[in-house]
Amino acid sequence: MIITPPSAETAKGHVADMYAEDIEDDGFVFAHTQAMALNPDAHLAFEQLVRAVVPSIGLSVYEAATLGAAQAIGSTHCLLAHGRKALRAGVIDEDGLLAFAHGDDRRFSEAEQVVIRYARRLSTDAAEMSDADTQQLRDAGFSDRQIVDITLAAGARNLFSRSLLALAVPVDEVPGLAPALAEALTAS
């Protein structure tokens, strides 16, 4: 990574909070946290966006949108981090996440599968999306607010993931994932 993030010793304010959270959770500061620490206001805004969309769609739908988008654009950072978050939150079990890493999303609920497909399309072909794509979310039972929030969740993941990819931020090993699962998500 060519950029130089703030050191842990000089970190203040939100940067210090970002670093402390990683250290508390995993014993080290992730490279992606360090990269985002260069603009703590943007990181905070991203976190606020996530907090604004999750209440209407719930954590499982948020993680489905996040994983679908991350997989579509090849974001190993986010597949590993959100794979672990989905496991810890009980959104999916290890076998289901392993299947997802191999392209099989049937262990997610039917509505979550629709969200995953929508997030993948948004991440690969947004300019060609139409009302038909949104209608699939409506047919799965999502309200107008939820459709907007699913779109924002997938779009936000594109912003964050593509930024990490563009900056060539190294991918850290994510503690708490079985080696075979981490390998499958990395190859996904």
Side-chain angles (χ1 to χ4, degrees):
M1 174 168 62
I2 197 166
I3 58 173
T4 305
S7 71
E9 296 77 32
T10 61
K12 295 182 229 164
H14 184 65
V15 174
D17 294 342
M18 293 165 64
Y19 285 12
E21 184 178 340
D22 277 7
I23 291 168
E24 182 179 323
D25 291 348
D26 295 303
F28 68 98
V29 180
F30 284 96
H32 65 266
T33 301
Q34 293 177 50
M36 293 299 107
L38 283 158
N39 187 340
D41 292 336
H43 182 266
L44 187 57
F46 178 81
E47 286 184 331
Q48 290 171 332
L49 175 59
V50 171
R51 284 193 296 273
V53 301
V54 168
S56 82
I57 60 177
L59 186 60
S60 62
V61 170
Y62 172 77
E63 291 300 344
T66 295
L67 288 168
Q71 189 177 53
I73 63 175
S75 174
T76 302
H77 301 89
C78 295
L79 284 168
L80 291 170
H82 285 275
R84 182 176 75 167
K85 286 181 181 185
L87 285 173
R88 286 183 172 174
V91 170
I92 196 159
D93 62 19
E94 280 194 27
D95 290 338
L97 189 57
L98 185 61
F100 171 79
H102 292 295
D104 178 359
D105 61 12
R106 290 178 293 170
R107 300 276 179 88
F108 286 90
S109 73
E110 287 184 32
E112 291 163 354
Q113 289 174 47
V114 172
V115 169
I116 290 168
R117 288 191 299 272
Y118 182 86
R120 285 177 179 149
R121 181 142 161 90
L122 179 149
S123 301
T124 58
D125 200 19
E128 296 301 316
M129 292 181 83
S130 69
D131 285 344
D133 297 289
T134 307
Q135 186 63 46
Q136 291 174 6
L137 291 173
R138 173 141 357 271
D139 292 346
F142 294 107
S143 68
D144 288 346
R145 167 69 190 263
Q146 290 171 319
I147 290 167
V148 168
D149 287 348
I150 290 165
T151 304
L152 288 169
R157 183 55 42 204
N158 271 264
L159 167 72
F160 196 86
S161 296
R162 290 178 188 276
S163 297
L164 296 177
L165 292 168
L167 293 169
V169 174
V171 177
D172 294 305
E173 183 177 318
V174 175
L177 288 176
L181 182 54
E183 184 178 328
L185 288 168
T186 300
S188 185

